[in-house]
Amino acid sequence: MTSAAALPISEPLQLLLDVLRARGPLTRADLGAATGLSRTTVSGLLAGLRRLGLVDDAPDSAGQPTGGRPATLVTFGRDAGLAVGVDLGRRHLRVIVSDLGHHVVAESGLRLEVDGHADAALDRAASVIDDLLAGLSRDRSDVLGVGLGVPAPLDRNGVVGSSNILPGWVGRSPAHELQQRLELPVLSDNDANLGALAEAVWGAGRDVEQVVYLKVATGIGAGIVLGGRILHGVGGTAGEIGHTTVTDNGAVCRCGNRGCLELLVGGPALVDELRQSGLSVAGVPDIVELARAGDAGCLRVLADVGDRLGLAVANLVNLLNPEVVVFGGDLSAAGELVLTTLRARVQRSAIPAAASSVRVVSSALGDRAEALGGVLLVLREAAFGPRLLSRALAPA
Ligand SMILES: [Zn+2]
């Protein structure tokens, strides 16, 4: 084992580790450009990290468009550490384990009643993480941190607000509680924010600066990534698009307001609407399946949802002028059955300059987006750099 003195935790080293962890495998040239460090400094630091087994070379699978020798990428070694993402939905739990080189190495998804069962849900999340680690012959000491997504706005202390969005969790701090169970650092964010982050880094908004992720499922939320950073707002409620008022005299919403968008296009609203027409459906997946089979009522409902969502998205496009709006959540399985009317409405109702510069696309990461965003929270957290090194430098 190389001694700690041989590799002091200098500022350039810290910077290089942060960039490599946040951006994933990079060529030496890109690593130099992203850190601003000289070629010689990068080479020296990488040699030290290689001796510690922290970094490795990987072939560039994208290859060279010019047909030359494939570029070699610098990546974190397989044993450098792991990052865990957890998505606690209202009715599901998904856990994804990634290595620090941005490769998913294990994952699990299961149905779980989360709202009103906070303790049981967190216990289950902890046990699923342990099971996945055991399956990899690893344990919690290999994990740099956990990123947790919750389907409710979180304030700056990570506490679920008293907004009736997730009633069983109000006043609780899911990250703190999971941290106590795991004895690992846990970061948390709203699930739509994490979906936005993942789509902006790995998905449909890749290489785009301004991305809005629209999550349409039981509830409706939006995550907003501007210049690579999640927009939270002062109290953590930025992007609560499902609770924008679309009719003054509509029904009363769980948020306490009246006439919210969610009451028109959320999963339960669609199910109710179809039941009134005599069609029995259990939820959004049923509606999508029937629509695909040609059911006229379901096709009509989905087309109308696209139009209603499109109006909300048009307003959002006017306000934020994003380059990409990513359509995600359960309803995104409907694809073009919703997107066609959604796009048409955006073109009709947003100001022409904003409407012409936005692309409205399907999620590339599907129902894994939120948990992958949790992984990214960990990979992008600079505070985890020193932990990585102290682990590598610890006496065997
Ligand atoms: Zn509401």
Side-chain angles (χ1 to χ4, degrees):
M1 171 66 74
T2 312
S3 77
L7 194 77
I9 305 178
S10 62
E11 236 173 78
L13 175 60
Q14 182 69 63
L15 181 62
L16 184 135
L17 287 171
D18 288 348
V19 166
L20 198 57
R21 195 154 37 83
R23 302 249 321 250
L26 288 171
T27 62
R28 280 168 186 254
D30 286 344
L31 199 48
T35 56
L37 300 171
S38 74
R39 219 183 149 113
T40 322
T41 306
V42 168
S43 290
L45 292 173
L46 288 177
L49 291 169
R50 199 180 298 273
R51 280 199 300 277
L52 290 168
L54 279 177
V55 300
D56 233 327
D57 286 333
D60 186 356
S61 55
Q64 292 287 78
T66 52
R69 204 157 57 94
T72 302
L73 300 176
V74 179
T75 180
F76 272 105
R78 285 180 55 93
D79 300 329
L82 299 169
V84 177
V86 178
D87 170 30
L88 269 180
R90 238 179 278 273
R91 295 197 176 80
H92 70 261
L93 166 69
R94 183 179 294 274
V95 179
I96 293 184
V97 182
S98 162
D99 66 18
L100 301 186
H102 292 210
H103 297 109
V104 170
V105 291
E107 67 182 289
S108 167
L110 53 104
R111 294 193 67 76
L112 184 70
E113 204 57 47
V114 168
D115 194 8
H117 303 84
D119 288 310
L122 291 166
D123 285 345
R124 192 67 189 271
S127 74
V128 170
I129 291 171
D130 281 338
D131 289 349
L132 288 176
L133 292 173
L136 295 166
S137 303
R138 311 287 278 275
D139 59 40
R140 293 180 192 172
S141 69
D142 295 302
V143 177
L144 228 52
V146 178
L148 170 65
V150 182
L154 298 171
D155 71 13
R156 62 183 58 196
N157 298 314
V159 174
V160 178
S162 56
S163 57
N164 298 335
I165 303 284
L166 197 63
W169 291 68
V170 171
R172 303 185 67 150
S173 170
H176 178 72
E177 295 183 33
L178 187 58
Q179 181 158 331
Q180 283 182 323
R181 283 167 170 80
L182 292 169
E183 296 174 328
L184 282 172
V186 180
L187 305 168
S188 61
D189 209 324
N190 168 264
D191 59 353
N193 289 349
L194 292 186
L197 181 61
E199 292 286 352
V201 176
W202 287 328
R206 195 174 181 153
D207 300 325
V208 171
E209 286 279 294
Q210 327 288 346
V211 179
V212 172
Y213 175 74
L214 193 62
K215 182 177 180 182
V216 188
T218 313
I220 297 165
I224 300 161
V225 171
L226 300 177
R229 293 168 61 102
I230 296 171
L231 179 76
H232 290 102
V234 67
T237 66
E240 285 296 328
I241 194 173
H243 301 281
T244 46
T245 308
V246 290
T247 163
D248 260 344
N249 50 4
V252 174
C253 177
R254 63 196 168 106
C255 75
N257 212 331
R258 206 181 257 288
C260 294
L261 176 68
E262 190 173 294
L263 294 176
L264 279 182
V265 300
L270 309 187
V271 168
D272 279 354
E273 216 176 346
L274 285 163
R275 279 201 185 132
Q276 283 171 30
S277 79
L279 193 66
S280 170
V281 287
V284 167
D286 281 359
I287 299 171
V288 174
E289 198 185 320
L290 285 168
R292 289 207 181 284
D295 181 273
C298 291
L299 283 168
R300 175 60 194 264
V301 160
L302 292 182
D304 288 350
V305 164
D307 185 64
R308 285 163 177 163
L309 279 173
L311 184 56
V313 170
N315 289 329
L316 194 112
V317 163
N318 281 351
L319 282 176
L320 296 174
N321 192 198
E323 190 174 339
V324 171
V325 173
V326 181
F327 175 39
D330 287 353
L331 193 69
S332 67
E336 296 298 318
L337 299 179
V338 169
L339 275 172
T340 304
T341 46
L342 200 166
R343 288 192 189 108
R345 184 61 184 220
V346 170
Q347 291 304 316
R348 191 161 89 240
S349 298
I351 56 172
S356 64
S357 56
V358 69
R359 285 185 290 126
V360 183
V361 299
S362 271
S363 158
L365 304 173
D367 55 8
R368 301 166 76 227
E370 289 78 11
L372 286 169
V375 168
L376 276 167
L377 268 193
V378 175
L379 294 174
R380 287 162 46 115
E381 174 56 53
F384 292 157
R387 189 174 142 85
L388 182 73
L389 279 175
S390 55
R391 223 177 68 95
L393 298 172

